[in-house]
């Protein structure tokens, strides 16, 4: 089935190239961005300002093609694409939970951005810990073998 989406806005960030930028919001703490929602979709922003965090769904618009097995940023071993957050995916969809500072008309001021400048926005959802945080038997597969410090270091290295 072919599915077509229309972007509902554009995400602006300080990052112009995919290299040398954070690989997750956790490695982008404090980095500010702006989400510009197109006028026709702005009524949908009503009451969003009550949320401290939002989930941005977007298109990795600078990704070309995909690989079903990749060596992700945080490891030196190969893994299936669906066990990673790597951007070269069959459907190049990105997901980031960012801090929402302000909503002024169609402009959202956000923090902790890990996407490229001019990334097409597909959807916004409120981050709700009661729905989104899992506590029961959480496992994180191959990432468990990477120490937190090493993973953070790698994220930091990419950010610097
Ligand atoms: C590992 S992905 C994670 C993105 C998101 N947090 C997720 O989990 O879906 C982040 C990396 O994707 C790449 N990237 C970010 N925005 C992109 C875009 N619009 N097009 C292509 N690549 C992008 C950058 O190399 C960035 O470091």
């Amino acid at each position: 089935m072919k599915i077509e989406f229309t972007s509902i806005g554009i995400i602006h960030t300080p990052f112009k190239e995919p290299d040398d930028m954070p690989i997750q919001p956790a490695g982008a703490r404090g980095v500010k961005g702006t989400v510009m929602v197109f006028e026709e979709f702005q009524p949908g922003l009503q009451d969003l300002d009550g949320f401290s965090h939002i989930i941005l769904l977007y298109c990795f618009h600078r990704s070309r093609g995909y690989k079903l097995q990749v060596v992700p940023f945080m490891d030196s071993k190969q893994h299936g694409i669906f066990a990673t957050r790597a951007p070269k995916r069959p459907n190049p969809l990105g997901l980031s939970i960012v801090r929402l500072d302000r909503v002024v008309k169609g402009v959202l001021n956000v923090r902790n951005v890990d996407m490229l400048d001019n990334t097409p926005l597909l959807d916004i959802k409120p981050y709700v810990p009661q729905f989104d945080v899992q506590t029961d038997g959480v496992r994180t597969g191959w990432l468990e073998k990477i120490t937190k410090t090493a993973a953070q270091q790698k994220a930091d290295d990419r950010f610097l």
Side-chain angles (χ1 to χ4, degrees):
M1 181 170 44
K2 197 167 172 135
I3 301 167
E4 213 171 72
F5 289 117
T6 302
S7 61
I8 60 162
I10 301 282
I11 309 172
H12 290 293
T13 75
F15 307 113
K16 309 287 181 205
E17 295 300 327
D19 299 323
D20 302 324
M21 60 174 285
I23 55 173
Q24 283 297 333
R29 291 224 190 281
V31 181
K32 290 185 181 173
T34 315
V35 181
M36 319 286 285
V37 176
F38 299 143
E39 198 169 348
E40 64 185 296
F41 302 106
Q42 290 175 9
L45 297 173
Q46 185 185 358
D47 299 327
L48 190 69
D49 59 358
F51 293 86
S52 63
H53 293 76
I54 54 175
I55 301 168
L56 299 178
L57 296 159
Y58 50 88
C59 175
F60 288 120
H61 70 304
R62 298 264 302 268
S63 260
R64 294 288 171 267
Y66 64 87
K67 285 183 179 173
L68 293 179
Q69 289 171 321
V70 293
V71 177
F73 295 120
M74 292 176 80
D75 203 359
S76 50
K77 294 193 186 110
Q78 182 175 280
H79 302 282
I81 185 74
F82 304 124
T84 78
R85 299 292 191 94
K88 285 194 177 187
R89 322 181 69 80
N91 292 312
L93 297 175
L95 174 161
S96 300
I97 298 171
V98 298
R99 174 100 196 195
L100 178 62
D101 288 329
R102 225 156 66 107
V103 182
V104 183
K105 290 196 177 161
V107 182
L108 317 184
N109 293 117
V110 295
R111 262 183 286 163
N112 311 339
V113 290
D114 68 332
M115 66 296 283
L116 281 168
D117 191 28
N118 290 319
T119 291
L121 176 68
L122 297 177
D123 202 1
I124 303 171
K125 294 176 194 248
Y127 170 75
V128 181
Q130 296 95 309
F131 305 156
D132 299 319
V133 175
Q134 305 296 316
T135 51
D136 185 25
V138 173
R139 295 185 296 126
T140 56
W142 59 268
L143 278 160
E144 283 173 12
K145 295 200 185 83
I146 296 175
T147 64
K148 227 180 191 173
T149 337
Q152 189 57 51
Q153 188 58 51
K154 213 160 173 189
D156 290 348
D157 287 351
R158 278 183 59 80
F159 181 44
L160 292 172

